[in-house]
Amino acid sequence: MDPVNIAFGADGKLWVAEMSDYPQGADNQGSPGGRVRYLEDTNGDGKFDKSTLLLEGLRYTTGVLPYRDGVLVSSTPEVFYVEVDPKTGKVGKRTTILDGFGEGNPQHVVNGFATGIDNWIYVNGDETGNIRSLATGKIVPMSGRDGRFKPDTGELETECGMTQHLRSRDDVGQWFGGANYCPFWHYGVEERYLSRNPFVPAPRPWNDMYGGYYPAVFPTSRITGKFNDLFTANRFTSACSPHPYRDQLLGDGSDQTIFACEPVHNLVHRARLVRQGLSFRAERFPVDASSEFLSSSDPWCRPVRVLTGPDGAVWIADMYRQVIEHPTWIPESWLEQLDVRAGHDKGRIYRVYPQGKRPSGPAIPNLARLSSRDLIALLGDVNGWKRDSAQRLLIERGE
C-alpha cells in the first residue's frame, strides 16, 4: 500500500517503500506509519506471488535500496541500514548512517536512492539542513543541495541539486533531477569541481531541459478540485521521479527517452533527449504530441516512481490516493469535507512493455548466484539494472 519507491535486488526481490502515513501521520496526528516490504517470484513465471512486510512504524518512508546483506532506507530524519537474514528474511542489526534531515512537509523530506557509477549512493530532498554522518561525526551543510555518501565508511559530500523527489542517471553518468513545476533538469557539472575555488561565484549547475516552468500535459482524467496554483490545470505541478530509460525493449530511440511522473494529473510523461551543446533539451515524441505515455481516467491514480526493470519493461509505482495535495495548501472549508487519507490502504505497481514484446522467462534474474566472471560479462549488458547490479556485487566482493 502507498508505494512511493521501488528497487530491484540482485537476488530477484522487488523492494517497496510505503509512505502509508502521508500526509499527517497514520492517525492524522503525526503517528509514524511508513513501511518496507519485499516481493518475490517463487515459481519463476515472471510474476511476484509472495509479499513480506519487513519493517513498519517508520516515519515517512521514501526510499529503499538493496545493499550488501540488507537494505538502505530513507525515513525522516535519518538514513539507516538494516541487515536481513538471507535464509529467514528476518530483520537483523539496524545502523543509522546519516541523521539530521528535516521533518517538515513530507513532499519535501529526504528521499533516496540512486547509485552512481562512482560507487557512491545519492540522496536528495529539500528539507535537508545540517546532516551528520554517524560513522565520522562530520556535519555537512546540505541546504539547497543533494548529497552522496558511502555506507561503509560514512563519507558524506554535497552534490549539485536540489532535486525534490528522486534523481537519476543515464548509462554514462549524466545526472537528472527536477521539481514539482519542472520535470527535467540536467546537472552538467559536479559540485566538487565548482567548489575548488571558493572565491569564484559558480553559475547555476543545472539546465532546465524544457526551457520553462509548468510545461503542458494531456490528462485523460476529469480535473478535480485543485487548491493552489489554480492557473496550472493541465500543466506539470507535481513532477517527480525523472528517469532516463536504460534498455532497448521499447525500440529504436529508446536510449534517448526520459520519463517523469505527474500524480496530480494521473499520468506518466515521456520525452526525447536531444543533445544541445554540453547539455540536452527535452521534446515530445511525435506520437505523444497531444497525449502521454501512460494516463488514467481514474482520478485516484497517483504514479510517483518510474524505473527501468531488469526485464527492460517500465515499472511504475502508483501511490493511489484520492487527495495528493498536502493539507497545508487546502483551505479549512475544503478540509472539513475531505478524507485526506482516503486510499491509504491501497496501491499498485505497473509493469509496462510494448505490444508483442512481452518479456519471456523469469522477469528478474538472480545475479547474486553468479560467479564474478559472469558478473563481468554483464557489465556490457544492454540493461542498466544488470550492469549496475553486477558492478555493485563485484565491489562488495572486493573484486
Side-chain angles (χ1 to χ4, degrees):
M1 60 191 201
D2 300 295
V4 296
N5 211 332
I6 54 177
F8 293 93
D11 60 357
K13 294 185 179 71
L14 177 60
W15 291 85
V16 186
E18 301 177 329
M19 192 194 255
S20 46
D21 46 358
Y22 181 82
Q24 295 177 311
D27 57 357
N28 274 331
Q29 303 296 322
S31 175
R35 314 183 335 163
V36 172
R37 72 170 59 250
Y38 59 88
L39 312 179
E40 297 175 271
D41 174 11
T42 61
N43 59 12
D45 66 352
K47 295 183 178 181
F48 292 113
D49 50 70
K50 182 180 180 181
S51 176
T52 302
L53 180 64
L54 186 80
L55 300 168
E56 56 185 332
L58 304 176
R59 183 169 175 77
Y60 298 134
T61 308
T62 57
V64 60
L65 183 73
Y67 186 79
R68 293 198 180 276
D69 296 323
V71 287
L72 294 163
V73 179
S74 56
S75 173
T76 304
E78 62 180 344
V79 168
F80 66 87
Y81 171 74
V82 61
E83 296 176 353
V84 182
D85 189 299
K87 295 182 179 179
T88 65
K90 301 298 183 182
V91 175
K93 181 181 178 182
R94 172 172 164 169
T95 305
T96 299
I97 307 295
L98 309 173
D99 72 5
F101 292 101
E103 299 186 59
N105 186 327
Q107 295 180 1
H108 300 270
V109 297
V110 59
N111 54 86
F113 299 93
T115 57
I117 294 177
D118 51 17
N119 299 312
W120 291 69
I121 308 295
Y122 288 71
V123 295
N124 56 273
D126 46 10
E127 290 278 358
T128 49
N130 295 325
I131 308 305
R132 179 172 63 122
S133 165
L134 275 291
T136 67
K138 182 179 179 181
I139 295 177
V140 176
M142 267 183 61
S143 181
R145 294 173 174 85
D146 294 344
R148 65 175 190 167
F149 68 99
K150 291 186 176 180
D152 294 344
T153 64
E155 294 173 83
L156 173 65
E157 297 180 354
T158 53
E159 187 52 273
C160 290
M162 166 183 63
T163 306
Q164 186 167 336
H165 182 62
L166 298 174
R167 60 184 283 149
S168 188
R169 66 166 173 85
D170 64 10
D171 290 339
V172 297
Q174 301 273 359
W175 284 100
F176 300 89
N180 281 170
Y181 51 85
C182 184
F184 304 126
W185 290 336
H186 170 235
Y187 303 117
V189 61
E190 296 176 50
E191 183 162 303
R192 64 180 178 274
Y193 301 122
L194 299 178
S195 62
R196 288 168 66 178
N197 189 338
F199 302 104
V200 176
R204 189 180 75 173
W206 69 83
N207 173 43
D208 174 3
M209 297 194 298
Y210 261 144
Y213 295 163
Y214 306 105
V217 293
F218 297 95
T220 55
S221 56
R222 178 178 59 87
I223 298 298
T224 56
K226 181 158 175 48
F227 310 103
N228 68 318
D229 296 335
L230 299 179
F231 65 92
T232 56
N234 297 332
R235 293 185 174 274
F236 270 109
T237 62
S238 60
C240 56
S241 184
H243 176 73
Y245 179 68
R246 301 185 60 202
D247 201 278
Q248 296 179 359
L249 186 69
L250 295 188
D252 293 341
S254 58
D255 59 339
Q256 302 167 340
T257 299
I258 189 167
F259 291 96
C261 295
E262 167 57 24
V264 163
H265 290 90
N266 323 110
L267 60 86
V268 175
H269 176 76
R270 167 177 64 177
R272 176 165 56 192
L273 289 172
V274 180
R275 264 291 176 187
Q276 191 169 50
L278 296 177
S279 187
F280 303 87
R281 73 173 187 271
E283 61 182 32
R284 283 183 172 270
F285 285 90
V287 70
D288 296 335
S290 59
S291 62
E292 302 294 345
F293 174 78
L294 181 148
S295 63
S296 176
S297 60
D298 182 354
W300 288 39
C301 175
R302 306 295 186 181
V304 293
R305 173 58 155 149
V306 59
L307 190 68
T308 307
D311 55 356
V314 178
W315 293 68
I316 299 165
D318 174 8
M319 191 177 182
Y320 204 81
R321 288 292 192 102
Q322 181 183 20
V323 178
I324 200 68
E325 287 190 71
H326 192 272
T328 299
W329 310 111
I330 303 176
E332 286 292 333
S333 58
W334 277 89
L335 279 176
E336 294 174 359
Q337 308 173 46
L338 291 172
D339 176 6
V340 295
R341 286 187 47 76
H344 72 89
D345 56 345
K346 297 175 175 61
R348 294 168 170 163
I349 297 174
Y350 301 100
R351 178 186 179 209
V352 186
Y353 48 86
Q355 280 189 318
K357 290 188 177 181
R358 183 180 181 88
S360 60
I364 319 301
N366 189 336
L367 304 189
R369 296 175 180 172
L370 298 183
S371 68
S372 295
R373 183 178 297 275
D374 290 335
L375 290 176
I376 289 171
L378 285 178
L379 295 176
D381 198 271
V382 298
N383 181 267
W385 174 85
K386 291 179 182 177
R387 287 197 301 278
D388 292 352
S389 298
Q391 176 174 331
R392 178 174 68 85
L393 291 172
L394 288 168
I395 295 295
E396 290 178 2
R397 293 177 185 182
E399 297 281 11

